[in-house]
Amino acid sequence: MSAHDPAELAAARPDFAAIAAWIPQGASVLDLGCGDGSLLRYLKETRKIRGYGVEISDANIVACIRNGVNVIQSNLESGLSGFESNAFDYVILSQTLQATRHTEPLVQEMLRVGREAIVSFPNFGHWKARLNVLRGHMPVSDELPYQWFDTPNVHLCTLHDFEEFCDGHRVHILERRVMTGDSEIRLLPNLLGSMAVYRFKRAG
Amino acid sequence: MNASVGIVHAQRAIFDTPLTFKSGAVLPRYELMYETYGTLNADKSNAILVCHALSGHHHVAGYYADDPENVGWWDTMIGPGKPVDTNKFFVVGMNNLGGCHGSTGPSSINPATGKPYGASFPVVTVEDWVTSQARLADLLGIKQFAAIMGGSLGGMQAMQWSLSYPERVRHVLAIATAPHLTAENIAFNDVARNAILTDPDFHGGNFYEHGVVPTRGLRLARMLGHITYLSDDAMADKFGRSLRSGKLGYNYDIEFEIESYLRYQGDKFAAYFDANTYLLMTKALDYFDPARDYADNLDKAFAAARADFLVLSFTTDWRFSPERSRTIVNALLHNRRNVSYGEISSAHGHDSFLMQHEHYHEVMRAYLDRIAMELSA
């Protein structure tokens, strides 16, 4: 099962390793839009977490079960009412934030259900994206592989946008990691980073 | 690959230890019909119990040598290479106590009187069934099931196992089921029961000695039940407003195809099913409510469970709606049980759980493959 070798997965999805680095052993995790369950499986294998995924697609339900992770078939846009407040140590939204319609209430729900939340998303402020727009085109890249007409992404943002959003919504950012591929970007992150991971909690 | 388990044989287990029912009634001796498919492994860890719903029985898969047309009721799900793969698992199907397919029930002879039990057969609950099933497991040398599965009333038994015998079941597959019936559901059952109870041939449940069967009541009960197991869309698709003769007759004969279908189903059912068993089964459905002993708190009811769960519902099932399954899932989540939940898109209502459906079977296969992997780990 080389496709699920933790080292290979971390190489394929650099945000996985970044997320795992923040999660302590044995934590409880809810992964929203968990896809085929790879991240949960990775966290189970590397962090011994107890977790659940929420996923809407039929094919991904089967994939999650085959990956040996718990998955609840549900539309996360309709809220997390099945989950009790503070039920999880971490609620994760990995590469999904930009594809959610009701982004604001979803972030609030994440912070109701989890003590902390982690999101990763493609940085629309990355220089390649800016260059594409300057040239008169919507950006298409590894992080944003869609054409304008078939993209699921409806709420793309830059690092600055996200941080402003947090400021205005009583969300306290605890940590940020900006990356391009698997290397960390410290200099001019909003320009040079193609992907960002944030850990945050309710302010005050 | 998707072969039949082939020729199967029904077996009879005899129990001489008295069984005390939840109602307080005692049955000194009883028999259970069962079938098994596949091979029990050396450490007896690969057994799966299949619990049946209202009209089911022990003949779950395969066929009989002398009756090859009589294929088990869940044969699409169980067999070599099927989701419940009999090359990997030892599958047990049984006819519940109170049934009418060979296990001791109202139509069996009461040794104390030499006459059928009839109305004197105890009212059976899901808990009583689980107790009797555990005794069958003891007889087969199965200390712990790899999985217990069932749809509808069968799903209730599978869940009850995780509460009555938490250490004896590793996985519960609860399909198209509910943590308890709603008022509407009980209402349907009561209309069905009334159809039987008010049939002049019912004779207070002791119709056997009068040489009659409350056929009219039974077929009405089945017709009503059948409507609720289908979906509006499925009925519209299958029958629409089609007329048998193509024109209106302005009388009360069978005119619409749906009438013809329902009466056929009713007649077929009334010809073999026992009226008292029907009453018992619907009562077991009505009574099932594990939260009742915990001030209606389902979270507390499931605190005893140790199993992992797969919960599945079907989008057009209005008798056991997806919302009822989500209630089960939430209670399991609140107890931090391992649980996966799938909501299967199907047009066929409650009956979907018995049907061949590619995605439904893929989910079942994926989950059962994981259980098989645990066995070999």
mmCIF file of all heavy atoms in Angstrom, chain B residues 5 7 14 25 36 48 60 110 123 221 262 277 303 314:
data_model
loop_
_atom_site.group_PDB
_atom_site.id
_atom_site.type_symbol
_atom_site.label_atom_id
_atom_site.label_comp_id
_atom_site.label_asym_id
_atom_site.label_seq_id
_atom_site.Cartn_x
_atom_site.Cartn_y
_atom_site.Cartn_z
ATOM 1 N N VAL B 5 -23.960 -19.106 -2.658
ATOM 2 C CA VAL B 5 -23.368 -20.068 -1.727
ATOM 3 C C VAL B 5 -23.817 -21.482 -2.094
ATOM 4 O O VAL B 5 -23.310 -22.452 -1.556
ATOM 5 C CB VAL B 5 -23.724 -19.794 -0.242
ATOM 6 C CG1 VAL B 5 -23.095 -18.514 0.224
ATOM 7 C CG2 VAL B 5 -25.223 -19.776 -0.026
ATOM 8 N N ILE B 7 -26.216 -24.836 -2.573
ATOM 9 C CA ILE B 7 -27.239 -25.572 -1.814
ATOM 10 C C ILE B 7 -26.988 -25.396 -0.321
ATOM 11 O O ILE B 7 -25.856 -25.563 0.155
ATOM 12 C CB ILE B 7 -27.200 -27.071 -2.189
ATOM 13 C CG1 ILE B 7 -27.629 -27.234 -3.658
ATOM 14 C CG2 ILE B 7 -28.104 -27.892 -1.273
ATOM 15 C CD1 ILE B 7 -27.361 -28.613 -4.221
ATOM 16 N N ILE B 14 -32.235 -26.958 19.554
ATOM 17 C CA ILE B 14 -33.242 -27.138 20.612
ATOM 18 C C ILE B 14 -32.674 -26.649 21.945
ATOM 19 O O ILE B 14 -31.555 -26.999 22.311
ATOM 20 C CB ILE B 14 -33.655 -28.628 20.711
ATOM 21 C CG1 ILE B 14 -34.285 -29.064 19.378
ATOM 22 C CG2 ILE B 14 -34.637 -28.841 21.863
ATOM 23 C CD1 ILE B 14 -34.424 -30.548 19.207
ATOM 24 N N ALA B 25 -42.949 -13.305 31.066
ATOM 25 C CA ALA B 25 -43.379 -14.635 30.628
ATOM 26 C C ALA B 25 -42.171 -15.564 30.502
ATOM 27 O O ALA B 25 -41.052 -15.096 30.294
ATOM 28 C CB ALA B 25 -44.102 -14.527 29.287
ATOM 29 N N THR B 36 -26.204 -21.777 8.143
ATOM 30 C CA THR B 36 -24.868 -21.177 8.165
ATOM 31 C C THR B 36 -24.234 -21.316 6.784
ATOM 32 O O THR B 36 -24.523 -22.273 6.061
ATOM 33 C CB THR B 36 -23.943 -21.834 9.212
ATOM 34 O OG1 THR B 36 -23.598 -23.142 8.771
ATOM 35 C CG2 THR B 36 -24.586 -21.897 10.581
ATOM 36 N N ILE B 48 -20.456 -13.884 11.383
ATOM 37 C CA ILE B 48 -21.352 -12.739 11.193
ATOM 38 C C ILE B 48 -22.781 -13.220 11.392
ATOM 39 O O ILE B 48 -23.196 -14.209 10.780
ATOM 40 C CB ILE B 48 -21.183 -12.130 9.780
ATOM 41 C CG1 ILE B 48 -19.803 -11.475 9.649
ATOM 42 C CG2 ILE B 48 -22.293 -11.111 9.493
ATOM 43 C CD1 ILE B 48 -19.567 -10.799 8.306
ATOM 44 N N VAL B 60 -31.284 -17.026 4.419
ATOM 45 C CA VAL B 60 -30.754 -15.718 4.037
ATOM 46 C C VAL B 60 -30.086 -15.772 2.667
ATOM 47 O O VAL B 60 -30.185 -14.832 1.885
ATOM 48 C CB VAL B 60 -29.758 -15.214 5.115
ATOM 49 C CG1 VAL B 60 -29.272 -13.818 4.779
ATOM 50 C CG2 VAL B 60 -30.414 -15.220 6.486
ATOM 51 N N ASN B 110 -47.776 -26.137 21.713
ATOM 52 C CA ASN B 110 -47.359 -25.956 23.104
ATOM 53 C C ASN B 110 -47.395 -27.328 23.762
ATOM 54 O O ASN B 110 -48.466 -27.936 23.889
ATOM 55 C CB ASN B 110 -48.344 -24.989 23.791
ATOM 56 C CG ASN B 110 -47.974 -24.770 25.250
ATOM 57 O OD1 ASN B 110 -47.091 -25.438 25.794
ATOM 58 N ND2 ASN B 110 -48.679 -23.839 25.873
ATOM 59 N N VAL B 123 -45.425 -12.083 24.204
ATOM 60 C CA VAL B 123 -45.029 -10.950 23.368
ATOM 61 C C VAL B 123 -43.504 -10.837 23.448
ATOM 62 O O VAL B 123 -42.942 -10.778 24.537
ATOM 63 C CB VAL B 123 -45.713 -9.650 23.839
ATOM 64 C CG1 VAL B 123 -45.103 -8.445 23.148
ATOM 65 C CG2 VAL B 123 -47.208 -9.727 23.571
ATOM 66 N N ALA B 221 -53.036 -6.028 6.150
ATOM 67 C CA ALA B 221 -51.851 -5.606 6.891
ATOM 68 C C ALA B 221 -50.648 -5.514 5.950
ATOM 69 O O ALA B 221 -49.873 -4.553 5.986
ATOM 70 C CB ALA B 221 -51.567 -6.572 8.035
ATOM 71 N N LEU B 262 -50.729 -4.671 -5.322
ATOM 72 C CA LEU B 262 -50.866 -4.750 -3.863
ATOM 73 C C LEU B 262 -51.675 -5.980 -3.450
ATOM 74 O O LEU B 262 -51.348 -6.655 -2.473
ATOM 75 C CB LEU B 262 -51.537 -3.486 -3.323
ATOM 76 C CG LEU B 262 -50.619 -2.288 -3.109
ATOM 77 C CD1 LEU B 262 -51.419 -1.120 -2.537
ATOM 78 C CD2 LEU B 262 -49.456 -2.624 -2.175
ATOM 79 N N THR B 277 -47.652 -14.170 14.308
ATOM 80 C CA THR B 277 -46.266 -13.739 14.154
ATOM 81 C C THR B 277 -46.221 -12.291 13.681
ATOM 82 O O THR B 277 -45.422 -11.494 14.173
ATOM 83 C CB THR B 277 -45.516 -14.651 13.159
ATOM 84 O OG1 THR B 277 -45.382 -15.945 13.746
ATOM 85 C CG2 THR B 277 -44.132 -14.111 12.820
ATOM 86 N N ALA B 303 -23.946 4.325 25.848
ATOM 87 C CA ALA B 303 -22.688 4.379 26.614
ATOM 88 C C ALA B 303 -22.116 2.983 26.833
ATOM 89 O O ALA B 303 -20.908 2.813 26.964
ATOM 90 C CB ALA B 303 -22.923 5.083 27.949
ATOM 91 N N PHE B 314 -31.322 5.300 3.449
ATOM 92 C CA PHE B 314 -31.641 5.494 2.032
ATOM 93 C C PHE B 314 -32.494 6.749 1.877
ATOM 94 O O PHE B 314 -33.446 6.958 2.634
ATOM 95 C CB PHE B 314 -32.372 4.254 1.482
ATOM 96 C CG PHE B 314 -31.520 3.025 1.551
ATOM 97 C CD1 PHE B 314 -31.539 2.209 2.676
ATOM 98 C CD2 PHE B 314 -30.641 2.713 0.525
ATOM 99 C CE1 PHE B 314 -30.722 1.094 2.761
ATOM 100 C CE2 PHE B 314 -29.814 1.605 0.597
ATOM 101 C CZ PHE B 314 -29.847 0.793 1.715
#
